[in-house]
Amino acid sequence: MTNQQSDVLLSLDEVAALSRAALLRQGLAEAHVEAVTATIVAGERDGCASHGIYRLLVCADTLKTGKVAKDAIPVVDDRAGGVVRVNAKGGFAQLAFQRGLPLLVEKAKRNGIAALAINDCVHFAALWPEIEAVVAEGLVAFAFTPSHAWVAPAGGTKPLLGTNPIAFGWPRPGPYPFVFDFATSAVARGEIELHRRAGKAIPEGWGIDAEGRSTTDPAAAMAGAMLTFGGHKGSALSIMVELIAGPLIGDLTSAESIALDAGAKASPIGGELILAIDPAGFLGGEAAQHIDRAETLFDAVVGQGARLPSQRRFEARKRSLAEGVRVPRKLYDDVLALVR
Amino acid sequence: MTNQQSDVLLSLDEVAALSRAALLRQGLAEAHVEAVTATIVAGERDGCASHGIYRLLVCADTLKTGKVAKDAIPVVDDRAGGVVRVNAKGGFAQLAFQRGLPLLVEKAKRNGIAALAINDCVHFAALWPEIEAVVAEGLVAFAFTPSHAWVAPAGGTKPLLGTNPIAFGWPRPGPYPFVFDFATSAVARGEIELHRRAGKAIPEGWGIDAEGRSTTDPAAAMAGAMLTFGGHKGSALSIMVELIAGPLIGDLTSAESIALDAGAKASPIGGELILAIDPAGFLGGEAAQHIDRAETLFDAVVGQGARLPSQRRFEARKRSLAEGVRVPRKLYDDVLALVR
């Protein structure tokens, strides 16, 4: 569909400018525009096509449903010694995260471990930008968020769980931390949708139809339920995400979020849980030498021909910072149309 | 091999007495005998054949290698506000956990979140007994431990990672919490060993041979490497366990643990990380109503015919508490031989 000739070459500054223009035009308040733009630029920069400027179209659709508070001002609540909550007041998660981050870092460094709960936010992005922001402070980070009830538990037949990503980060010397961020569903929902559009069958194990039978028909799986990765183990992890980024922090499960959506097809509303651990809390002055010891593990992974998670993403980042990014003409035009 | 006639029916008190006698006879100090016995009884009671009295044989073998400090006195180190470390001094993990638990609970309730690191311990048991002990205090719990380097990372060909279990628990009304505890390897190592003994092929996906090729030969997989569950996602989680229950807490990776074992085939030596979160830290007086809200999620899982993790284990527990347990005669005799 696209070829190099029909791609548009953009610098990252141009991506940012395009994102700002598109989001302002949708009526999003400036502080949110800046926070969301940082995520969009990061996604495009790292070669995550579905989390780059394409997401501006998703954002715009979600904003049109009226389900996002465009000028929400997040409220930071300093709870127990190790806990901070930020009420996003129905706005996008990014700004709420930015506002809560300094206190999370301060608490993690003071106590060795701390948690940040974001409540009542609209979530449409990957979790790795948040992970990387915490890890940049020298901390180990975890993040979890439910989504919409699209996924059946192992052994079940009906959608109940979200795609429920789990993300983790570990500081490394140099610019690139160890980071992973994956859905606990077998694949992203968008992947099934892409197969449907292309008229292609999906592999066994991605979804079941409305009667709970294994299916290779993407439309049947979208109407039925997605499956978790890794059978009952992935299912258990998905339920864990529901619990710790739902009721534990006083927020919605994926089933509650999709009920609230009531067919509007907006991005999921709910909570997000971020944990931060300071190696110095365990190890004091010896932390650095042990963090260095982890490099032996990473070297052994790469040394046997395996890849580290995010390796491809960091390679894309290096390229994008040097050369800019190529965006398909059609996508570029669609995003430009948001500005007009 | 066994049938009901050749089984020995034991009360849980009898299991405990047998465990105590066997462990004392191996020269294990009394405080350790009590702590280990509680784990053995819990495993047998819950129908986990490989973690019940069978483990006394494994313990005895490990004790014979001289790799366990039989009379180690764990040292509790009150670190940062949210962190406690216990140095097990080369002894079994159970006693170290018991000694650290009160401070972990106190810190979690004061700060909302806390971490317990156990260092320099010998680990041979499941993690769920520790999870259940933390959850009994009304806390949400996570536990992680590396093991021996038997598992290849996704895309790799050589053993590097441990079977690296992840365990989680959530308090529920009534006697049975939500708990899972699983290896991040595709199966337990013992499962492959059982296939080897029975001369049965293993399914694709469990292991690779020494040349890194997929194999259905259990002996070839034992000599090559096990695989993680869930492809690159399970592999990422396994690496996470190495990091957070290894270098983060100043302890060994699975590769370092097996190098230290130097062929003695003792249980892995290293660390364990336990996290505890108090729902009241986020929610104060409203915590109980949100914890109750999680019951809707569990009801929806069970209501569609799926099982909750640990459901079978809790059913076995109910039975064992009422009727005692049945132990194969051969196993019973082998354990009795430890006492003589």
Side-chain angles (χ1 to χ4, degrees):
Chain A
M1 307 280 275
T2 65
N3 55 50
Q4 295 256 325
Q5 281 73 30
S6 72
D7 285 350
V8 181
L9 181 65
L10 300 174
S11 71
L12 295 179
D13 285 347
E14 287 169 325
V15 172
L18 183 63
S19 171
R20 277 192 201 97
L23 292 168
L24 282 170
R25 192 75 184 78
Q26 312 307 307
L28 194 64
E30 263 196 57
H32 282 288
V33 167
E34 286 309 313
V36 171
T37 289
T39 302
I40 300 284
V41 171
E44 195 64 46
R45 176 198 67 195
D46 284 12
C48 307
S50 70
H51 287 95
I53 71 166
Y54 163 76
R55 278 285 146 155
L56 291 168
L57 304 175
V58 178
C59 269
D61 283 345
T62 290
L63 286 164
K64 272 191 204 105
T65 64
K67 300 258 178 189
V68 184
K70 295 178 180 177
D71 55 358
I73 298 172
V75 177
V76 177
D77 182 6
D78 185 348
R79 306 283 306 182
V83 175
V84 50
R85 284 177 88 182
V86 182
N87 190 327
K89 298 279 181 184
F92 284 127
Q94 283 86 350
L95 185 61
F97 172 75
Q98 279 186 8
R99 296 284 162 90
L101 179 62
L103 202 49
L104 173 71
V105 171
E106 184 191 316
K107 284 173 182 289
K109 293 198 171 172
R110 193 187 323 125
N111 292 308
I113 183 167
L116 165 63
I118 302 175
N119 287 120
D120 194 16
C121 70
V122 178
H123 218 287
F124 70 86
L127 296 175
W128 57 257
E130 276 130 69
I131 291 288
E132 289 195 23
V134 176
V135 171
E137 303 287 339
L139 303 172
V140 176
F142 305 77
F144 313 90
T145 185
S147 63
H148 276 334
W150 288 317
V151 180
T157 57
K158 293 185 186 69
L160 174 66
L161 310 169
T163 49
N164 296 5
I166 295 178
F168 171 80
W170 174 272
R172 298 185 64 184
Y176 303 119
F178 175 87
V179 177
F180 66 76
D181 176 3
F182 59 74
T184 51
S185 50
V187 287
R189 189 167 179 80
E191 196 64 40
I192 297 179
E193 172 61 14
L194 284 175
H195 278 70
R196 194 189 61 76
R197 282 173 185 241
K200 279 168 45 184
I202 53 172
E204 295 269 349
W206 286 16
I208 51 179
D209 67 18
E211 276 72 49
R213 295 169 304 208
S214 179
T215 186
T216 59
D217 173 0
M222 303 276 287
M226 298 165 67
L227 293 173
T228 62
F229 92 102
H232 73 277
K233 295 181 181 181
S235 178
L237 289 168
S238 181
I239 294 174
M240 178 190 82
V241 172
E242 292 286 336
L243 294 170
I244 64 178
L248 175 65
I249 62 172
D251 220 310
L252 304 180
T253 61
S254 295
E256 290 166 340
S257 177
I258 206 165
L260 198 71
D261 185 68
K265 306 210 171 190
S267 292
I269 295 183
E272 178 180 345
L273 176 66
I274 296 146
L275 306 181
I277 303 184
D278 184 2
F282 294 94
L283 301 170
E286 292 171 14
Q289 81 192 56
H290 288 286
I291 292 282
D292 279 350
R293 209 156 44 84
E295 294 303 304
T296 309
L297 179 68
F298 301 135
D299 289 346
V301 171
V302 176
Q304 60 175 273
R307 295 180 82 94
L308 292 174
S310 299
Q311 207 171 312
R312 243 179 294 248
R313 194 161 60 73
F314 294 141
E315 285 158 11
R317 184 181 303 183
K318 227 178 287 181
R319 258 195 326 274
S320 301
L321 288 168
E323 306 165 14
V325 295
R326 289 185 177 280
V327 177
R329 167 70 60 183
K330 168 81 169 69
L331 173 59
Y332 181 71
D333 289 343
D334 287 350
V335 173
L336 265 191
L338 292 178
V339 181
R340 284 178 203 123
Chain B
M1 306 281 274
T2 66
N3 55 50
Q4 294 257 325
Q5 281 74 30
S6 72
D7 284 352
V8 181
L9 181 66
L10 300 174
S11 72
L12 295 179
D13 284 347
E14 287 169 325
V15 171
L18 184 63
S19 171
R20 276 191 201 99
L23 293 168
L24 281 170
R25 191 74 184 76
Q26 311 307 308
L28 193 64
E30 264 196 58
H32 282 288
V33 167
E34 286 309 312
V36 171
T37 290
T39 303
I40 299 285
V41 172
E44 195 64 47
R45 176 198 67 196
D46 284 11
C48 307
S50 70
H51 287 95
I53 71 167
Y54 162 77
R55 277 287 144 154
L56 291 169
L57 304 175
V58 179
C59 269
D61 283 345
T62 290
L63 286 165
K64 273 191 204 105
T65 64
K67 299 260 179 187
V68 185
K70 294 178 181 179
D71 55 358
I73 298 172
V75 177
V76 177
D77 181 7
D78 185 347
R79 306 284 305 184
V83 175
V84 50
R85 283 178 88 182
V86 182
N87 189 326
K89 298 281 183 184
F92 284 128
Q94 282 88 350
L95 185 62
F97 172 75
Q98 279 186 9
R99 296 284 162 87
L101 179 61
L103 202 50
L104 173 70
V105 171
E106 185 191 315
K107 284 174 183 289
K109 293 198 170 171
R110 192 188 323 125
N111 291 311
I113 183 168
L116 165 63
I118 301 174
N119 288 120
D120 193 17
C121 70
V122 178
H123 219 287
F124 69 86
L127 296 175
W128 58 257
E130 276 129 70
I131 291 288
E132 290 194 24
V134 176
V135 171
E137 303 287 339
L139 303 172
V140 176
F142 306 76
F144 314 89
T145 186
S147 63
H148 276 336
W150 288 315
V151 180
T157 57
K158 293 186 187 68
L160 174 66
L161 310 169
T163 50
N164 295 6
I166 295 179
F168 172 79
W170 174 272
R172 298 186 64 184
Y176 303 118
F178 175 88
V179 177
F180 66 76
D181 175 2
F182 58 74
T184 52
S185 50
V187 287
R189 189 165 179 82
E191 196 65 39
I192 298 179
E193 172 62 14
L194 284 175
H195 278 70
R196 193 189 62 75
R197 282 173 185 242
K200 280 167 47 185
I202 54 171
E204 294 268 349
W206 286 16
I208 52 179
D209 67 17
E211 277 72 48
R213 294 170 305 210
S214 179
T215 185
T216 59
D217 173 359
M222 302 275 286
M226 298 166 67
L227 293 173
T228 62
F229 91 102
H232 73 277
K233 295 182 182 181
S235 179
L237 289 169
S238 181
I239 294 174
M240 177 189 83
V241 172
E242 293 287 336
L243 294 169
I244 64 177
L248 175 65
I249 62 172
D251 220 311
L252 303 180
T253 61
S254 295
E256 290 166 339
S257 177
I258 206 165
L260 198 69
D261 185 67
K265 306 212 170 188
S267 292
I269 295 182
E272 178 180 347
L273 176 67
I274 296 147
L275 306 181
I277 304 184
D278 184 3
F282 294 95
L283 301 170
E286 292 171 14
Q289 81 193 54
H290 288 286
I291 292 282
D292 279 351
R293 208 156 45 83
E295 294 301 305
T296 309
L297 179 68
F298 300 135
D299 290 346
V301 171
V302 176
Q304 59 175 273
R307 296 179 82 93
L308 292 173
S310 298
Q311 207 171 312
R312 242 180 293 249
R313 196 161 58 74
F314 294 141
E315 285 157 12
R317 182 180 304 184
K318 228 179 286 182
R319 257 195 327 274
S320 301
L321 289 169
E323 306 165 15
V325 295
R326 290 187 176 277
V327 177
R329 167 70 61 183
K330 168 80 168 70
L331 173 59
Y332 182 71
D333 288 345
D334 286 350
V335 173
L336 265 192
L338 292 178
V339 181
R340 285 177 201 125

